[in-house]
């Protein structure tokens, strides 16, 4: 069942994340309430995320040396997600909807299967 009230603590946490589409429906979404995913702000946020995730997933490893791939992927991942700690690696493919809602700690490895 959907929540009936916004969660101020979650909304406050979101304000410190990268790429957040600050709008009424975003606040409703992260609070677990019913929301309209077709609002322009949310459509734009998903579009942005999918483009950045495509960059991440399609990094041509023939053009980046093995000893630079970790740093390059971390750089790209920081553009996709809300916050990510040092030493983190996500094995592609990585397919988030918004990305900005994701917080990943330090020294994490996320495999793809």
């Amino acid at each position: 069942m959907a929540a009936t009230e916004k969660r101020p603590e979650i909304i406050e946490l979101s304000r410190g994340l990268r790429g957040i589409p600050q709008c009424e429906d975003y606040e409703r979404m992260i609070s677990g309430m019913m929301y309209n995913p077709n609002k322009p702000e949310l459509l734009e946020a998903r579009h942005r995320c999918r483009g950045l995730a495509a960059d991440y997933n399609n990094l041509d490893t023939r053009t980046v040396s093995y000893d630079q791939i970790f740093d390059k992927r971390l750089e790209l991942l920081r553009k996709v997600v809300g916050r990510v700690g040092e030493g983190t690696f996500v094995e592609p493919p990585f397919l988030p909807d918004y990305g900005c809602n994701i917080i990943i700690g330090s020294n994490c490895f996320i495999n793809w299967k």
Side-chain angles (χ1 to χ4, degrees):
M1 178 169 215
T4 57
E5 296 179 4
K6 288 184 185 178
R7 296 186 53 196
E9 72 280 8
I10 298 291
I11 293 166
E12 185 59 34
L13 174 64
S14 77
R15 291 194 175 117
L17 302 177
R18 180 186 336 244
I20 296 299
Q22 290 294 342
C23 66
E24 175 71 18
D25 280 280
Y26 175 76
E27 290 181 359
R28 293 176 64 83
M29 176 184 71
I30 65 173
S31 296
M33 301 173 70
M34 297 294 291
Y35 69 100
N36 181 352
N38 294 318
K39 291 289 186 172
E41 298 90 344
L42 298 181
L43 290 169
E44 180 182 359
R46 285 194 307 274
H47 181 76
R48 176 187 173 279
C49 179
R50 290 187 179 139
L52 293 170
D55 292 344
Y56 186 86
N57 292 324
N58 297 318
L59 179 63
D60 186 353
T61 56
R62 293 172 294 187
T63 64
V64 180
S65 67
Y66 77 93
D67 60 336
Q68 295 176 340
I69 196 75
F70 181 88
D71 291 334
K72 184 63 177 172
R73 285 233 191 264
L74 184 58
E75 175 189 326
L76 290 168
L77 186 61
R78 286 197 164 122
K79 294 177 181 178
V80 178
V81 301
R83 187 179 320 146
V84 63
E86 291 296 323
T88 291
F89 188 87
V90 176
E91 193 69 53
F94 180 54
L95 304 170
D97 270 345
Y98 292 94
C100 57
N101 296 341
I102 299 171
I103 299 172
I104 305 172
S106 297
N107 300 312
C108 292
F109 175 79
I110 300 173
N111 209 345
W112 61 280
K113 286 194 177 189

